[in-house]
Amino acid sequence: MAQVLEFKLPDLGEGLTEAEIVRWLVSVGDVVAVDQPVVEVETAKAMVEVPCPYGGVVTARYGEEGTELPVGAPLLTVAVGASAPAGESAPAAAAPAPDPVADSAPTPARDPAPSREGASGNVLVGYGTGAPVARRRRVRPPVNGARTAPSAVRGGGAAGAPGPVPGPVAVVSPLVRRLAREHGLDLRTLTGSGRDGLILRCDVERAIREGVTASQTEGATVATASTVGTASTPAGTSTAATASTTRSGATRVALRGVRGAVAEKLTRSRHEIPDATCWVDADATELLAARAAMNAAGGPKVSLIALFARICTAALARHPELNSTVDTAAREIVLLPEVHLGFAAQTDRGLVVPVVRDAHTRSAESLGAEFARLTEAGRSGALTPRELTGGTFTLNNYGVFGVDGSTPIINHPEAAMLGIGRIAAKPWVHQGELAVRQVVQLSLTFDHRVCDGGTAGGFLRYVADCVEQPAVLLRAL
């Protein structure tokens, strides 16, 4: 007899709380094998394929392509021990209809410890699945006779909102709580559409839209009663905010996926890091000549960004304060032993920052090859979460966009970022005479908590010296 098991969106690691369904790889009625990828999802870190730990017939899918699901929400159900009829797939009518809101689907039968024949262990995205492991789940005791979501927490009240409702607020995603807090919405006044009254993101967004509509209606009534033909702004709402809501023809783009992750990280950096920037112009003529000579000698071609990366690792060895992070809870600066070098790469899906692991141990040729591999993976959306996290210092080559300078935002929780402008022919005093030289502007944005201007200036000056006289770098090897 077939047993219907529910497969939920697994914890994808790195603190991710939700993912967007990009493409289903199976349909209702398909037969899937253990650890077969069943759906492609986009997280705030990367695009990944999620393997199913059960083998059997797919009986239901929860969520259409483009839907965002929180971690722990059902993805699909599989009839373990069943098989599709020969020559055809199992009829979709025999399975529950797919529902875009995962938590509103009926609860299938569950097996807390599936057998090895029909299932593997917990899913670990990017590494496959392994043997069955013990699963533990903390469940809160019932409150007033009602079931409560495992991750339920109490929501904060907003000024002017109705009084608190007894019992915890069923909210899984911290993003949902933050969205409600930013719009002054009391979660205790909402009724969740998820299982057990779980409040989902769509519930909060619906409440926000209803609140905006009510404010606009009230404002229109006041305008009509006071002055005919005069626009009225609802109380507590700025004119700019009202215009953005009512302007016809406006296009709204959701801040989610990679774009949302970048926005959140940059905002956090601005809020938490007291940054400062210093910059210097450097004559890169000799560096370009050295690169041309290296490439003319044969072997793998050395890119300019690889040379700057090699210079950075040498500079960080002299100024390790800039390869650190700040532990705010312990009020300590943590100096990191390895240099995991991030670099900004623009893709069709937005800005990504892949990380070259152990950059301090690599040659210029090895750095160049890794830059090329990660850039191509970023353009195709194939970067893994590990390749996008764990950086200790970032290199930002905005010169490829044809600009001379910038003040980059530090990639939180790192302590510094080096920006490289375009290399352009400019008049320059060389050996006491005016000459046309290839000049580049270098800028260093640093966390002023980890060092003062003397350290930052020393780092940047050493980088500039290596650019102007590549032989300086040889002394560091």
Side-chain angles (χ1 to χ4, degrees), residues 93-444:
D99 192 334
V101 180
D103 284 340
S104 61
T107 305
R110 295 183 177 88
D111 179 8
S115 66
R116 287 180 179 267
E117 296 179 359
S120 70
N122 293 334
V123 169
L124 182 60
V125 175
Y127 299 93
T129 61
V133 298
R135 298 185 182 183
R136 296 178 295 178
R137 179 172 177 173
R138 181 180 299 172
V139 181
R140 292 179 181 268
V143 178
N144 297 332
R147 292 181 60 193
T148 305
S151 300
V153 297
R154 294 187 180 274
V165 178
V169 178
V171 181
V172 168
S173 172
L175 298 180
V176 172
R177 294 195 293 273
R178 187 185 66 200
L179 183 64
R181 184 171 61 252
E182 290 174 350
H183 290 81
L185 188 63
D186 190 347
L187 291 171
R188 292 170 295 186
T189 64
L190 301 185
T191 300
S193 60
R195 183 182 295 118
D196 302 326
L198 185 69
I199 298 175
L200 306 177
R201 182 172 184 169
C202 60
D203 300 324
V204 175
E205 291 175 341
R206 181 171 57 252
I208 293 171
R209 287 194 301 269
E210 291 174 353
V212 171
T213 303
S215 298
Q216 291 173 352
T217 303
E218 179 183 352
T221 303
V222 173
T224 305
S226 57
T227 305
V228 177
T230 302
S232 173
T233 302
T237 305
S238 67
T239 304
T242 306
S244 67
T245 326
T246 59
R247 183 178 296 128
S248 60
T251 301
R252 292 177 177 268
V253 180
L255 275 175
R256 61 186 184 186
V258 173
R259 183 72 259 171
V262 170
E264 182 176 348
K265 201 160 193 179
L266 296 182
T267 301
R268 183 177 182 185
S269 179
R270 277 294 192 219
H271 284 173
E272 296 185 12
I273 299 178
D275 59 349
T277 302
C278 55
W279 57 89
V280 66
D281 290 339
D283 181 359
T285 306
E286 296 300 328
L287 182 68
L288 293 179
R291 173 175 174 259
M294 293 170 66
N295 290 337
K301 299 297 182 182
V302 178
S303 63
L304 198 59
I305 189 68
L307 289 178
F308 274 104
R310 187 65 190 86
I311 293 172
C312 272
T313 58
L316 288 172
R318 287 173 168 255
H319 303 278
E321 299 92 337
L322 294 170
N323 192 61
S324 65
T325 187
V326 176
D327 186 339
T328 55
R331 295 181 60 84
E332 294 175 342
I333 299 172
V334 183
L335 302 178
L336 303 171
E338 299 89 11
V339 177
H340 300 318
L341 190 65
F343 66 99
Q346 193 69 36
T347 70
D348 293 338
R349 298 169 55 244
L351 179 71
V352 294
V353 185
V355 176
V356 177
R357 302 277 166 178
D358 299 316
H360 60 295
T361 65
R362 294 176 180 266
S363 64
E365 291 84 356
S366 174
L367 287 167
E370 189 67 357
F371 279 132
R373 184 188 72 81
L374 291 172
T375 299
E376 181 58 32
R379 289 172 180 164
S380 62
L383 289 169
T384 66
R386 185 176 185 274
E387 292 171 334
L388 286 165
T389 55
T392 62
F393 186 92
T394 297
L395 194 60
N396 188 357
N397 182 18
Y398 43 76
V400 296
F401 302 115
V403 297
D404 293 330
S406 175
T407 54
I409 300 177
I410 296 174
N411 189 21
H412 186 279
E414 297 171 14
M417 176 185 292
L418 179 69
I420 307 170
R422 65 171 180 159
I423 300 178
K426 294 181 180 180
W428 189 266
V429 176
H430 177 64
Q431 296 180 350
E433 296 182 357
L434 188 63
V436 176
R437 306 287 286 181
Q438 300 297 321
V439 179
V440 61
Q441 184 180 98
L442 306 171
S443 60
L444 176 71

